[in-house]
Amino acid sequence: KKPYNNNNNNHNGPALKRAISILCMSPLLVAFFISTSRIYDNKHFPADVVGGSILGAAIAVFVSDLWYVFLLLLPRYSNN
């Protein structure tokens, strides 16, 4: 008989969470690299890039909040 039996065999948990977090952050990293390259190539002024980033973030927050409010108000299936 084993003196200590821990059924928690999830050894890949931290690695999987790290991979998912990197995957979720990749659109932000791509946007950052594109914006810095646009400034470096003199295609845009830095104020234009910052303004576009703020506008994009505000629209993303608005749409995200709108989506989750819609999901909360979505009628649920009932047993009736």
Side-chain angles (χ1 to χ4, degrees):
K1 185 175 180 180
K2 294 181 182 178
Y4 180 72
N5 187 8
N6 187 3
N7 290 329
N8 188 7
N9 294 328
N10 191 7
H11 298 294
N12 293 331
L16 182 63
K17 287 180 182 180
R18 179 167 298 195
I20 290 173
S21 65
I22 290 172
L23 184 66
C24 290
M25 292 296 292
S26 63
L28 291 174
L29 293 173
V30 170
F32 176 75
F33 287 127
I34 290 173
S35 64
T36 53
S37 71
R38 299 298 282 182
I39 294 171
Y40 182 76
D41 292 338
N42 290 326
K43 302 285 184 186
H44 292 285
F45 290 111
D48 295 338
V49 172
V50 170
S53 299
I54 291 171
L55 182 64
I59 291 172
V61 167
F62 175 74
V63 171
S64 174
D65 289 346
L66 190 67
W67 175 254
Y68 285 110
V69 166
F70 174 74
L71 287 179
L72 288 175
L73 297 177
L74 196 69
R76 304 286 181 205
Y77 293 105
S78 64
N79 292 333
N80 296 340

